[in-house]
């Protein structure tokens, strides 16, 4: 028989011999979907774009610290002056890629730096299709800063080398696009591409466009193309334009371009306009003064021009500013000796512009 004390001791010893089991690990959770990959980093643009010219970027970083109001930097700021006056970094259009990147920058100050330097240096360099496409992408945005200057840059794109005429034409046709930008494009596009029949046809087709007519006229007025016959015919048609500015400037251009075959047409048109009380722009008289000095004008045409200057000067029903005073100038230009005697009767004219012009001419 085992004693109770001995049994208790054995039980205690058995418990000591058994090791404590470690806790079981929690089962791993099983998921059906893998973790999404990290989004790729967006490429840096504008001032931070890869490949930018380091010297240009350094100059720009300092320049944008200058005071900026509206769309202009403080021209007296030393860092902005350094940006404007730098030559080597921008020579031979080598910084054009960096400047185009600046156009893409959301910071208006950086954009302004790119616009200003591309207008001054790189505007003639856009025979590069990739760069030109990027410029157009910026121009096609609904709203943006410096639209007029941006349009000038677009207008210098070389169409033969880039093949971008359809895209530019679409931008010009977009009535919702900024008119300052569209006007600047059309003013420069023909001069940059004088050999392009497509651009010439586009330009003269815009003469009747309410928003772009004057810009189209300026483009042809600058010349640089070889469409003399077509241009003279267009000027002759524009003599009857509802916009007196375009009509009168066409008369001036017909003399200076020159369009000798259309001079009689110009004189008849101006005479009819005078009878209809539609001489409301001083450039009509300027055209007569130019005709009197034109080598291609006949004696009869010059005589007619002088007579018309007198009719304009004497028509006191003309109230538009500077029309009659311009005719006073033209009368003397067409006949200096006789003209000075003729204008003497206008010394006390009710039109103060006429009075002042007479006084100045007689004092010479």
């Amino acid at each position: 028989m085992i004693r109770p004390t001995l049994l208790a001791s054995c039980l205690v010893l058995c418990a000591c011999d058994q090791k404590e089991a470690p806790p079981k690990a929690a089962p791993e959770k099983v998921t059906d979907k893998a973790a999404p990959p990290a989004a790729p980093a967006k490429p840096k643009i504008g001032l931070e774009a890869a490949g930018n010219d380091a010297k240009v970027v350094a100059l720009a970083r300092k320049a944008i610290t200058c005071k900026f109001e509206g769309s202009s930097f403080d021209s007296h700021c030393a860092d902005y002056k350094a940006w404007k006056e730098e030559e080597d970094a921008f020579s031979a259009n080598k910084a054009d890629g960096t400047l185009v990147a600046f156009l893409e920058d959301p910071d208006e100050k950086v954009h302004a730096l790119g616009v200003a330097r591309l207008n001054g240096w790189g505007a003639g360099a856009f025979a590069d299709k990739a760069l030109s496409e990027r410029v157009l992408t910026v121009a096609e945005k609904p709203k943006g800063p410096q639209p007029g200057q941006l349009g000038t840059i677009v207008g210098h794109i070389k169409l033969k080398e880039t093949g971008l005429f359809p895209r530019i034409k679409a931008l010009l046709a977009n009535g919702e696009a900024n008119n300052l930008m569209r006007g600047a494009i059309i003013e420069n596009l023909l001069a940059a591409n004088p050999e392009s029949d497509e651009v010439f046809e586009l330009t003269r087709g815009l003469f009747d466009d309410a928003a772009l007519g004057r810009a189209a006229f300026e483009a042809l007025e600058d010349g640089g193309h070889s469409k003399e016959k077509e241009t003279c015919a267009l000027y002759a048609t524009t003599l009857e334009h509802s916009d007196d500015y375009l009509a009168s400037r066409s008369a001036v251009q017909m003399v200076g371009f020159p369009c000798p075959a259309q001079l009689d047409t110009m004189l008849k048109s101006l005479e009819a306009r005078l009878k209809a009380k539609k001489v409301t722009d001083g450039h009509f008289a300027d055209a007569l003064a130019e005709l009197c000095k034109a080598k291609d004008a006949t004696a009869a045409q010059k005589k007619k021009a002088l007579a018309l200057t007198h009719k304009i000067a004497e028509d006191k029903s003309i109230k538009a500013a500077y029309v009659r005073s311009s005719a006073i100038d033209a009368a003397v230009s067409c006949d200096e000796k006789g003209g000075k005697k003729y204008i003497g009767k206008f010394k006390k004219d009710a039109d103060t512009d006429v009075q002042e012009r007479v006084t100045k001419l007689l004092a010479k």
Side-chain angles (χ1 to χ4, degrees):
M1 179 176 186
I2 299 175
R3 296 177 183 176
T5 53
L6 181 59
L7 179 62
S9 298
C10 290
L11 290 174
V12 171
L13 290 173
C14 289
C16 293
D17 288 341
Q18 293 179 357
K19 294 182 178 179
E20 185 177 350
K24 293 183 178 180
E28 294 183 5
K29 293 183 179 180
V30 179
T31 58
D32 295 331
K33 296 181 180 179
K42 292 183 178 180
K44 294 180 179 180
I45 63 171
L47 191 63
E48 306 293 338
N52 280 350
D53 184 284
K55 184 175 181 179
V56 173
V57 169
L59 287 166
R61 288 192 187 283
K62 292 181 179 180
I64 60 176
T65 64
C66 293
K67 186 177 180 180
F68 185 78
E69 289 185 341
S71 60
S72 301
F73 285 94
D74 177 5
S75 60
H76 299 292
C77 178
D79 287 328
Y80 182 66
K81 288 176 69 176
W83 166 266
K84 290 284 288 184
E85 294 170 3
E86 172 64 29
E87 295 185 14
D88 180 66
F90 300 100
S91 63
N93 304 311
K94 61 186 180 184
D96 281 358
T98 300
L99 295 173
V100 170
F102 284 9
L103 297 186
E104 299 164 333
D105 199 297
D107 186 335
E108 185 178 354
K109 292 184 290 184
V110 178
H111 178 95
L113 293 179
V115 163
R117 293 275 358 185
L118 281 170
N119 273 335
W121 291 82
F126 286 110
D128 184 290
K129 184 176 182 179
L131 285 181
S132 298
E133 286 178 326
R134 289 168 63 189
V135 171
L136 272 172
T137 297
V138 175
E140 289 164 343
K141 294 180 179 179
K143 294 181 181 179
Q146 290 90 30
Q149 294 183 66
L150 184 58
T152 298
I153 296 171
V154 172
H156 282 83
I157 290 175
K158 303 296 184 182
L159 302 179
K160 183 178 180 180
E161 291 83 352
T162 65
L164 291 173
F165 179 70
R167 193 168 164 185
I168 293 177
K169 185 177 180 180
L171 179 56
L172 289 168
N174 182 1
E176 296 182 1
N178 186 286
N179 282 336
L180 278 176
M181 181 178 64
R182 294 198 300 155
I185 292 172
I186 202 64
E187 281 183 25
N188 290 277
L189 198 61
L190 184 59
N193 300 276
E195 75 292 341
S196 174
D197 292 341
E198 290 179 311
V199 176
F200 181 85
E201 292 301 324
L202 171 67
T203 303
R204 73 171 177 176
L206 290 171
F207 264 48
D208 290 325
D209 186 284
L212 300 179
R214 293 193 179 191
F217 183 89
E218 296 292 338
L220 280 186
E221 191 175 38
D222 288 342
H225 56 86
S226 59
K227 309 289 185 181
E228 295 180 7
K229 182 179 179 181
E230 295 87 345
T231 300
C232 286
L234 180 59
Y235 286 146
T237 302
T238 311
L239 289 172
E240 311 305 324
H241 204 287
S242 57
D243 184 336
D244 286 351
Y245 173 82
L246 291 183
S248 62
R249 290 300 301 167
S250 289
V252 174
Q253 283 298 103
M254 289 178 74
V255 180
F257 191 64
C259 302
Q262 282 87 5
L263 292 184
D264 283 331
T265 300
M266 187 266 279
L267 290 168
K268 289 178 182 178
S269 175
L270 183 49
E271 187 172 30
R273 184 178 282 270
L274 187 57
K275 289 180 180 179
K277 306 296 182 183
K278 292 182 178 180
V279 175
T280 59
D281 193 294
H283 286 118
F284 285 117
D286 294 342
L288 295 172
E290 291 298 319
L291 191 151
C292 289
K293 296 181 288 185
K295 294 180 180 180
D296 297 313
T298 66
Q301 289 169 338
K302 293 180 180 181
K303 182 178 179 181
K304 182 71 171 180
L306 175 60
L308 287 174
T309 67
H310 290 184
K311 287 185 178 181
I312 296 173
E314 294 167 10
D315 189 345
K316 295 186 178 181
S317 69
I318 297 175
K319 302 300 181 183
Y322 306 115
V323 175
R324 293 179 62 226
S325 59
S326 295
I328 294 291
D329 264 330
V332 175
S333 182
C334 286
D335 179 18
E336 187 172 354
K337 292 183 180 179
K340 285 192 174 183
K341 182 178 179 180
Y342 167 74
I343 66 173
K345 63 182 180 180
F346 296 96
K347 286 182 180 180
K348 297 182 179 180
D349 195 273
D351 188 326
T352 56
D353 290 329
V354 171
Q355 283 188 39
E356 291 175 4
R357 198 63 202 144
V358 169
T359 301
K360 289 180 180 180
L361 288 170
L362 292 179
K364 291 182 178 181

